[in-house]
């Protein structure tokens, strides 16, 4: 693999991670789930040892959550390319959460906000592009 090919994979994978965060904040759950491989595994930062297995189950888990005002900030992303079809990534995440304001204005930030943690990802190239094969979250501080 050339340096240009490696850098292209890194960029594609980092874009996937950033796209995921934007779709998550928009609460576009079908689009979020579509970024996972069919047989992917996902563990939320609040439950890093509890895996949800398969794209459909991941979608169902997002659909079952009550809506909330939220904004994720992702940073310090490093992608390590294993080969032309596999990569790993590590990112730091900050999650701001809140409730809708009674007056229809800006949401009110919740008392457990922000949450600070990480995502460790296994990424795979599919016929549809790069997707998450495994996404494991973790928290760095208790709320």
């Amino acid at each position: 693999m050339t340096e240009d090919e490696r850098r292209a994979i890194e960029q594609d994978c980092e874009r996937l991670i950033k796209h995921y965060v934007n779709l998550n904040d928009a609460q576009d759950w079908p689009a979020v789930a579509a970024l996972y491989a069919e047989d992917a595994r996902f563990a939320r930062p609040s439950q890093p040892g509890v895996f949800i297995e398969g794209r459909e189950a991941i979608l169902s888990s997002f659909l079952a959550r009550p809506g909330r005002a939220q904004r994720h900030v992702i940073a310090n992303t490093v992608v390590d390319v294993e080969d032309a079809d596999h990569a790993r990534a590590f990112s730091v995440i900050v999650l701001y959460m809140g409730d809708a304001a009674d007056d229809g204005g800006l949401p009110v930030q919740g008392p457990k906000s922000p949450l600070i943690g990480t995502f460790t990802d296994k990424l795979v190239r599919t016929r549809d592009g790069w997707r998450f094969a495994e996404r494991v979250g973790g928290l760095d501080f208790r709320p």
Side-chain angles (χ1 to χ4, degrees):
M1 167 179 322
T2 68
E3 282 298 304
D4 286 343
E5 290 168 330
R6 181 189 56 76
R7 279 192 291 274
I9 291 170
E10 289 173 355
Q11 184 176 354
D12 288 349
C13 290
E14 189 169 345
R15 185 182 189 290
L16 171 70
I17 291 165
K18 291 174 180 176
H19 189 51
Y20 178 94
V21 169
N22 291 333
L23 292 171
N24 193 311
D25 285 343
Q27 298 183 35
D28 185 345
W29 306 131
V32 168
L35 298 180
Y36 285 91
E38 285 289 334
D39 60 350
R41 296 168 19 120
F42 171 57
R44 296 181 187 284
S46 58
Q47 296 180 302
V50 178
F51 283 93
I52 302 163
E53 311 246 355
R55 183 187 291 160
E56 289 304 315
I58 291 168
L59 174 58
S60 293
S61 77
F62 278 112
L63 291 170
R65 295 180 76 180
R68 67 178 180 204
Q70 63 183 25
R71 176 68 64 208
H72 293 80
V73 179
I74 194 108
N76 304 346
T77 300
V78 175
V79 176
D80 292 312
V81 177
E82 295 179 338
D83 60 39
D85 297 319
H86 300 89
R88 293 179 182 268
F90 176 85
S91 303
V92 173
I93 188 131
V94 179
L95 171 59
Y96 296 91
M97 300 172 292
D99 298 310
D102 292 335
D103 64 4
L106 289 174
V108 178
Q109 191 167 323
K112 294 183 178 181
S113 184
L115 294 176
I116 301 169
T118 61
F119 274 110
T120 303
D121 301 313
K122 292 180 183 176
L123 308 161
V124 61
R125 188 191 315 254
T126 71
R127 69 181 184 281
D128 297 317
W130 285 94
R131 296 293 182 262
F132 294 100
E134 182 177 274
R135 180 149 243 236
V136 180
L139 294 177
D140 292 337
F141 301 93
R142 283 187 295 190

